[in-house]
Amino acid sequence: MAFFVSAGWFRGFILKNPNVKGIFPSSYIHLKNAHVKNKGQFETVIPVEDSVITEMTSTLRDWGAMWKQLYVKNEGDLFHRLWHVMNEILDLRRQVLVGSLTHDRMRDVKQHITARLDWGNEQLCLDLVPRREFSMVDPDEISVTELYRLTIAASRGGVSAVPKRGEPRDSRQLLDACFTASSFDTQSSQFPLPPLTRNFTTHFE
Amino acid sequence: MLALDNMLYFARHHQDAYIRIVLENSSREDKHECPFGRSSIELTKMLCEILKVGELPSENCHDFHPMFFTHDRSFEEFFCICIQLLNKTWKEMRATSEDFNKVMQVVREQIMRALTLKPNSLDQFKSRLQNLSYTEILKIRQSERMNQEDFQSRPILELREKIQPEIMELIKQQRLNRLCDGTCFRKISSRRRQDKFWYCRLSPNHKVLHYGDLEESPQGEVPHDSLQDKLPVADIKAVITGKDCPHMKEKGALKQNKVLELAFSVLYESDEYLNFIAPDKHEYCVWTDGLNALLGKEMTSDYTKSDMDTLLSMEMKLRLLDLENIQIPEAPPPIPKEPSNYDFVYDCN
């Protein structure tokens, strides 16, 4: 929600439906600190919390919708496995939020979390998230080649090649081209090119 | 000053342990050393807080710890045990100096928990502490987190009620999708000859039940066209289950309990029945739920309840993600008067 303050009321909107704006009594609102990027009409608001928490929150929400669809389409096996993983992530998220973890333990927990997030994303055919030190990298803040290197590292770390998400439009094609190029230096003796390009064509817009 | 006294006592009376601790920590190179001085001071402070040293004794308090009467210098002994605990916990947590407060929190919890059991001697206290290692504390915290999810407050219950119909709709869709995929059933013949198979599935528009005999158990999907008979859903009058089913009332029918639980029938045209015996409980529940849903009735199987539970609790957790650690009041707070004007100003700074 974005806040405009006046006399006991806040004006703003609900994230699910950003076009409808209304006023909310301030006694119903709990304020959370946040960074505001790009102030003005097109600002993005990111709460002040460990980026892994933000990632978990949004990933869990994305998965939630897909998980319900798995149920309706009767994909019982994946439905149950994902249920376990989601519960695990919910618990890990709570551990991180409570804030009583030592640095070493926090590192372990983050590693565990990112492994689970990557597993779930792969199972649901969502995109591979490039990471540095277990946090999502902001594609706007790093160079394209750095992004490429991180992606290759992540994809070689056991997760099979899946298409990209959320990359800035300009670097996406370059990245895709780099990705197909990298397929030449994998250890597999066969040409891995056909499956990779099949995955990519669906994502070119 | 008390802290220094404690440290001195520890050094004098438990020389081995003291030497060990100091050597361990001074030779660690990796920033994981436990700061002896700082921890002694903080620990002494904490022990005074826990034992309410320096405060006037309360008239109403019934707590007393027998172990403090067993030794002349019991407070110092207590300190010695606790400083060793702190060092051990520090190592278990693999803490660095930044994590100092976190370690203190854990040690506090360990001491409090050991004290609630009112050990009779300092040795007993020590052995209780041995059972409360950091891993134990983690387990205790995890089970507390699990129990935290027992949401009973009014706003939570209201939210649950609100979401319930949506989830019920999902369950209904799932059941109907399963019916559209269809299931292979066995015909139990009273003459105990070889069992025959028949297949039944719902049409994609949910208007017709297609069914027909099969020669053998199907390997994959059975298309509608291969099923000879049809039953329009609109003709279905009721769904009967268990011992009320006509095929269960027949004289020669198998009356084992197992089969009774899996039997259901569809009544159509006032006296015609289509009899089913489900292959297992899951299919039984799916079919009875699906047929009830087609008739506009409530789905009442055990599986509906458990599915509802799973789906609803996960949905609740996801919706309440942002409210972690925030106290939700029992009653809605009062709504203030409307603002005098609707000119809201956005502060860009």
Side-chain angles (χ1 to χ4, degrees):
Chain A
M1 286 178 63
F3 293 124
F4 303 66
V5 185
S6 162
W9 291 81
F10 289 129
R11 181 169 187 269
F13 54 88
I14 299 184
L15 284 169
K16 271 196 208 168
N17 194 359
N19 297 321
V20 177
K21 293 197 169 46
I23 54 175
F24 300 80
S26 31
S27 46
Y28 280 69
I29 304 293
H30 176 99
L31 290 175
K32 242 171 119 165
N33 288 327
H35 294 305
V36 182
K37 282 166 78 168
N38 198 13
K39 274 195 184 186
Q41 219 179 356
F42 299 103
E43 60 188 18
T44 44
V45 179
I46 302 174
V48 168
E49 57 190 5
D50 204 319
S51 67
V52 75
I53 297 196
T54 327
E55 193 192 344
M56 277 194 278
T57 312
S58 64
T59 310
L60 281 171
R61 288 199 173 125
D62 286 341
W63 287 2
M66 299 180 76
W67 178 72
K68 287 191 283 194
Q69 282 310 303
L70 285 177
Y71 173 74
V72 171
K73 297 207 170 64
N74 205 35
E75 303 265 358
D77 192 37
L78 184 54
F79 175 74
H80 277 107
R81 283 190 288 159
L82 193 58
W83 181 74
H84 280 293
V85 171
M86 283 167 85
N87 273 318
E88 223 182 315
I89 296 182
L90 279 164
D91 187 57
L92 290 166
R93 183 178 173 273
R94 220 173 245 164
Q95 283 187 44
V96 174
L97 271 173
V98 165
S100 59
L101 297 172
T102 58
H103 271 80
D104 275 6
R105 192 156 165 79
M106 180 69 97
R107 222 184 117 82
D108 289 345
V109 167
K110 278 195 192 178
Q111 189 169 29
H112 193 177
I113 292 173
T114 47
R116 291 284 179 263
L117 288 174
D118 286 343
W119 178 87
N121 283 333
E122 189 198 350
Q123 292 291 318
L124 292 172
C125 301
L126 293 173
D127 304 320
L128 178 63
V129 176
R131 296 177 196 284
R132 191 199 277 137
E133 294 288 312
F134 308 121
S135 299
M136 225 163 91
V137 291
D138 184 352
D140 292 331
E141 309 248 321
I142 65 174
S143 71
V144 175
T145 44
E146 171 86 24
L147 187 58
Y148 162 68
R149 260 184 249 122
L150 286 174
T151 315
I152 299 301
S155 69
R156 284 214 181 118
V159 178
S160 56
V162 280
K164 303 250 63 28
R165 125 169 114 180
E167 306 312 317
R169 285 59 48 203
D170 19 321
S171 71
R172 189 191 303 194
Q173 266 131 340
L174 176 56
L175 202 58
D176 290 345
C178 293
F179 218 97
T180 36
S182 83
S183 66
F184 285 101
D185 58 12
T186 57
Q187 274 103 13
S188 127
S189 54
Q190 285 187 341
F191 247 173
L193 201 52
L196 286 173
T197 47
R198 177 169 52 79
N199 281 340
F200 284 126
T201 46
T202 56
H203 278 248
F204 278 120
E205 273 154 36
Chain B
M1 279 303 299
L2 182 58
L4 294 174
D5 274 342
N6 283 334
M7 285 159 76
L8 195 58
Y9 181 90
F10 182 52
R12 284 215 187 110
H13 289 90
H14 294 269
Q15 219 166 26
D16 298 329
Y18 173 70
I19 292 175
R20 201 169 15 100
I21 289 184
V22 172
L23 282 178
E24 242 174 37
N25 287 311
S26 54
S27 55
R28 285 189 83 142
E29 291 283 331
D30 56 357
K31 301 209 178 98
H32 280 69
E33 68 271 5
C34 176
F36 185 63
R38 186 176 170 202
S39 15
S40 303
I41 297 174
E42 292 293 328
L43 183 61
T44 311
K45 223 194 294 182
M46 186 166 82
L47 294 181
C48 292
E49 262 176 49
I50 293 178
L51 298 174
K52 300 197 170 68
V53 169
E55 289 177 28
L56 294 171
S58 153
E59 295 285 318
N60 299 325
C61 191
H62 298 285
D63 275 341
F64 73 104
H65 296 288
M67 71 180 184
F68 287 111
F69 294 95
T70 59
H71 202 279
D72 280 341
R73 312 277 302 266
S74 53
F75 184 74
E76 284 87 349
E77 284 292 324
F78 185 51
F79 172 83
C80 295
I81 297 177
C82 291
I83 190 76
Q84 290 180 65
L85 171 71
L86 202 158
N87 195 51
K88 172 166 166 277
T89 305
W90 184 279
K91 284 187 293 196
E92 279 169 1
M93 285 174 76
R94 291 182 288 142
T96 62
S97 51
E98 296 165 320
D99 303 318
F100 191 81
N101 288 331
K102 297 178 185 158
V103 179
M104 294 306 286
Q105 267 175 25
V106 174
V107 170
R108 174 187 280 263
E109 198 172 335
Q110 287 167 313
I111 297 177
M112 300 287 277
R113 283 185 188 270
L115 282 178
T116 50
L117 300 165
K118 302 254 184 354
N120 286 323
S121 72
L122 289 164
D123 285 326
Q124 248 189 21
F125 176 67
K126 203 168 177 183
S127 57
R128 293 238 191 280
L129 282 178
Q130 269 164 2
N131 292 337
L132 282 169
S133 67
Y134 181 53
T135 20
E136 258 316 294
I137 298 284
L138 283 176
K139 275 191 222 151
I140 294 177
R141 280 192 182 160
Q142 179 166 41
S143 60
E144 273 170 14
R145 273 199 302 271
M146 296 294 167
N147 294 336
Q148 204 185 346
E149 295 169 9
D150 193 30
F151 293 119
Q152 288 304 319
S153 67
R154 237 189 64 195
I156 305 287
L157 292 175
E158 281 177 16
L159 181 62
R160 252 185 119 95
E161 270 173 43
K162 212 167 137 222
I163 307 180
Q164 204 155 347
E166 287 171 32
I167 305 284
M168 192 55 94
E169 189 54 40
L170 282 181
I171 300 182
K172 181 173 157 190
Q173 275 177 35
Q174 193 260 2
R175 299 290 190 254
L176 292 177
N177 281 342
R178 280 285 295 107
L179 258 56
C180 286
D181 284 340
T183 308
C184 180
F185 296 94
R186 286 189 126 94
K187 278 202 226 216
I188 297 194
S189 118
S190 43
R191 269 160 291 176
R192 320 268 344 249
R193 261 189 303 163
Q194 192 182 30
D195 284 340
K196 296 224 189 98
F197 297 100
W198 65 290
Y199 199 87
C200 183
R201 64 188 295 184
L202 187 61
S203 64
N205 62 6
H206 299 174
K207 290 207 163 57
V208 182
L209 271 177
H210 296 273
Y211 60 100
D213 287 349
L214 294 175
E215 284 307 312
E216 48 182 33
S217 181
Q219 291 312 310
E221 236 185 274
V222 175
H224 294 110
D225 324 9
S226 64
L227 298 170
Q228 308 93 327
D229 300 302
K230 298 210 281 218
L231 169 56
V233 167
D235 288 351
I236 298 182
K237 301 279 181 289
V239 173
I240 328 264
T241 59
K243 56 181 169 42
D244 296 326
C245 295
H247 56 313
M248 290 293 112
K249 288 184 189 163
E250 273 170 34
K251 249 205 271 186
L254 292 164
K255 291 269 179 77
Q256 311 152 357
N257 276 338
K258 241 177 8 150
V259 174
L260 267 180
E261 278 166 13
L262 301 173
F264 61 100
S265 300
V266 167
L267 168 62
Y268 63 102
E269 310 247 331
S270 73
D271 63 351
E272 295 283 320
Y273 289 93
L274 186 57
N275 298 319
F276 297 76
I277 297 185
D280 57 45
K281 176 150 189 206
H282 185 79
E283 293 290 331
Y284 170 79
C285 291
V286 164
W287 274 85
T288 45
D289 282 342
L291 290 169
N292 278 326
L294 286 171
L295 292 176
K297 294 208 193 120
E298 212 189 311
M299 300 185 286
T300 52
S301 76
D302 292 340
Y303 274 91
T304 306
K305 294 194 185 61
S306 67
D307 284 352
M308 170 62 89
D309 217 24
T310 314
L311 291 167
L312 191 55
S313 49
M314 180 59 84
E315 183 66 24
M316 292 285 292
K317 284 182 210 165
L318 292 180
R319 293 218 187 182
L320 294 172
L321 275 177
D322 279 331
L323 287 176
E324 202 68 49
N325 293 339
I326 297 176
Q327 200 52 11
I328 307 175
E330 272 294 316
I335 301 180
K337 278 189 352 222
E338 277 186 33
S340 49
N341 64 43
Y342 282 92
D343 297 330
F344 285 78
V345 173
Y346 183 42
D347 187 357
C348 282
N349 301 329

